[in-house]
Amino acid sequence: GLRVLPFKPQNMSNNAAVTAEGGEIGRAQALQARACRAPTSVHMNPVLLKPQSAVGSQVVVQGRVMGNANAREYQSWKPKLLAAVLDSFSQLKAQADLVLVEGAGSAAEVNLRANDIANMGFARAADVPVVLIGDIDRGGVIAQIVGTKAVIASEDAAMIKGFIVNRFRGDPTLFEDGMQLIAHKSGWPALGLIPFFNAASQLPAEDAVALEKRSVHGHGALTIAVPKLAHISNFDDFDPLKQEPGVNLIFVDAGEPLPLADLIILPGSKTTISDLVHFRAQGWDIDLAAHIRRGGKVLGICGGFQMLGKTVNDPAGIEGDHISLEGLGFLDVETTLGGDKALSEVSGISLRDGASFKGYEMHLGVTTGPDCARPLLRFDGRDDGAISQSGNICACYVHGLFADDAQRSSWLKWIGGEASSLNYEAGIDATLDALAAHLELHMDLDAVLRLAS
């Protein structure tokens, strides 16, 4: 009976979602909004950092790109960003009975506490009670929580009203003494011991760290390979394929060759030019050329679409250098980066076979050329993408195609498989409901609600 909304002051991820207003937020907050049965809003994640290098990120504020900053520069931006964070939080509070706020990183990052906008700094500024969550699956959870109490300022510690231990495996009675010890040492009451929830792996992951933990999915007759670009973005495009029983989905690590496959997909990229250089450095351009000579099929999505063309031009220096780089040359198109960023949810049909689809656009740049005369998709009265003369190489700017059951079936049949029987979206909702029931069983939700009130 309560209207609940999610909020994360600051997120770092190249996995972004388009909001109802036409902005962008982390896909984790979009999933949380779905769990709340609420439309997405830029105010659910007012600061989104999209990594472009080991030390720098694009900074998105309330859904729009504000600029680029390296890690040290960004620290000086935070005091200005706090105003936007508090504004967004205020707007959500006015719409909800309960706002659940997710921190970022760790509450114990005392070296970054001075300008913090994501954890205890936000909690203090917004006067929000805090529940500290420890991940026992990583080991050392007693030290995690008790150590947090030891290093943070007493004023921050006073904001913490309880703790939860998450992702527990085994007999929970064996950790009763551990929960009591944490409560005694920290002075914070225990609000729950949450058993590991295996079905969580079926939900979209927050960021590319998840790809480091698992690279091969399934043992089906069809093999689909995705090169793991250095700045891969929106990789949850492929989550539905992981659940297809007839598909063997392989994320190919740097340094590994592209395998023999029924389909190779070039994924989205946060930095097309540097990832094109990275692609060639792995020898993947040679592997892809051999795949195409054998009559293999290829799909490029967003940045992958741009890479498949003849050139990628960056006259405005959007990705750091004012350069033009030779593309892979498998589509007769060229891309110029720049202009307004396309951010919208779309639906239409595939011109390859008439199958319907739903998805979203999230890209900078315009792609033109002879192969665009054979577009892949049509939506909102316009065409998108390109198909090679052979018909074996396709590309488009639209993300989320495989989440649409009709569209996913179409692609599986194109590479020699069977139509899908998987209802992907219904499965996500069922998993969210199961997770909610799991938490209700193992958490003291009444105590949490009392803290919020």
Side-chain angles (χ1 to χ4, degrees):
L2 298 178
R3 177 169 170 76
V4 183
L5 293 177
F7 182 71
K8 183 163 184 169
Q10 172 190 293
N11 196 351
M12 177 177 280
S13 176
N14 277 331
N15 235 19
V18 174
T19 69
E21 314 101 320
E24 55 181 314
I25 58 174
R27 291 201 70 78
Q29 280 60 68
L31 180 67
Q32 292 163 356
R34 178 173 181 165
C36 294
R37 300 183 178 89
T40 55
S41 166
V42 296
H43 298 299
M44 293 173 177
N45 175 207
V47 178
L48 175 62
L49 307 178
K50 304 184 80 170
Q52 293 182 297
S53 69
V55 295
S57 295
Q58 184 182 78
V59 183
V60 179
V61 180
Q62 291 182 331
R64 299 296 175 187
V65 175
M66 181 177 177
N68 299 323
N70 63 38
R72 186 167 295 279
E73 288 172 332
Y74 180 67
Q75 299 307 312
S76 67
W77 289 27
K78 286 183 177 180
K80 295 179 292 185
L81 295 177
L82 181 60
V85 166
L86 293 175
D87 172 64
S88 289
F89 181 61
S90 177
Q91 294 199 44
L92 291 191
K93 281 202 303 179
Q95 303 170 34
D97 300 302
L98 175 65
V99 179
L100 284 172
V101 183
E102 179 187 345
S106 167
E109 291 173 344
V110 293
N111 56 310
L112 300 176
R113 175 61 183 85
N115 294 318
D116 176 56
I117 64 171
N119 296 300
M120 303 310 296
F122 167 79
R124 292 271 297 280
D127 192 23
V128 172
V130 176
V131 174
L132 188 66
I133 303 176
D135 180 1
I136 197 171
D137 197 51
R138 296 170 183 254
V141 75
I142 295 174
Q144 286 179 36
I145 300 176
V146 176
T148 297
K149 176 65 178 291
V151 299
I152 63 176
S154 58
E155 295 85 355
D156 286 350
M159 301 297 296
I160 299 178
K161 306 301 180 183
F163 71 90
I164 292 168
V165 172
N166 193 27
R167 304 214 302 171
F168 180 83
R169 301 176 191 262
D171 182 352
T173 63
L174 296 178
F175 198 65
E176 288 178 354
D177 290 347
M179 296 291 282
Q180 293 172 8
L181 178 61
I182 294 171
H184 174 71
K185 293 284 188 180
S186 68
W188 299 322
L191 298 175
L193 176 64
I194 313 299
F196 198 98
F197 184 72
N198 288 313
S201 63
Q202 298 174 22
L203 298 173
E206 182 168 16
D207 54 42
V209 172
L211 294 183
E212 298 173 6
K213 299 176 182 176
R214 54 185 194 274
S215 293
V216 181
H217 311 264
H219 303 282
L222 296 174
T223 296
I224 298 177
V226 180
K228 200 185 298 181
L229 303 176
H231 303 98
I232 188 171
S233 68
N234 300 79
F235 61 86
D236 59 330
D237 278 344
F238 311 108
D239 283 2
L241 295 175
K242 292 190 298 190
Q243 297 185 29
E244 282 290 348
V247 170
N248 179 32
L249 177 67
I250 302 173
F251 284 100
V252 184
D253 291 314
E256 297 293 328
L258 297 180
L260 292 174
D262 299 284
L263 175 65
I264 292 176
I265 304 177
L266 273 62
S269 166
K270 184 65 192 72
T271 53
T272 300
I273 289 176
S274 64
D275 272 352
L276 183 53
V277 173
H278 175 263
F279 191 92
R280 286 194 170 102
Q282 314 314 311
W284 288 337
D285 56 332
I286 299 170
D287 297 341
L288 186 62
H291 170 79
I292 292 171
R293 284 197 302 272
R294 292 191 295 266
K297 294 177 178 177
V298 179
L299 170 64
I301 301 175
C302 202
F305 177 16
Q306 297 172 342
M307 292 167 65
L308 283 169
K310 289 188 171 181
T311 56
V312 181
N313 306 303
D314 188 11
I318 290 172
E319 294 192 359
D321 294 308
H322 304 262
I323 64 171
S324 177
L325 190 67
E326 182 181 354
L328 298 173
F330 297 118
L331 284 174
D332 192 1
V333 300
E334 66 174 36
T335 297
T336 299
L337 301 178
D340 295 332
K341 191 169 191 177
L343 291 166
S344 61
E345 295 181 341
V346 298
S347 61
I349 61 168
S350 168
L351 298 176
R352 186 174 52 79
D353 59 6
S356 63
F357 77 89
K358 292 182 180 179
Y360 63 96
E361 286 186 291
M362 180 178 289
H363 70 90
L364 276 170
V366 176
T367 300
T368 58
D371 282 350
C372 289
R374 291 179 294 275
L376 179 60
L377 305 175
R378 178 168 293 156
F379 55 87
D380 298 336
R382 57 192 173 96
D383 295 334
D384 176 62
I387 300 175
S388 66
Q389 282 190 328
S390 69
N392 277 10
I393 304 170
C394 304
C396 65
Y397 273 117
V398 175
H399 293 280
L401 290 177
F402 298 122
D404 186 290
D405 296 335
Q407 187 65 201
R408 189 173 63 259
S409 289
S410 168
W411 287 101
L412 293 179
K413 287 188 287 186
W414 186 55
I415 61 175
E418 301 293 330
S420 173
S421 60
L422 172 69
N423 188 331
Y424 177 72
E425 298 291 1
I428 294 293
D429 288 333
T431 302
L432 289 171
D433 287 342
L435 177 56
H438 180 76
L439 294 173
E440 186 173 17
L441 185 62
H442 298 287
M443 273 178 62
D444 189 347
L445 290 184
D446 290 334
V448 173
L449 287 172
R450 285 194 299 271
L451 290 176
S453 64

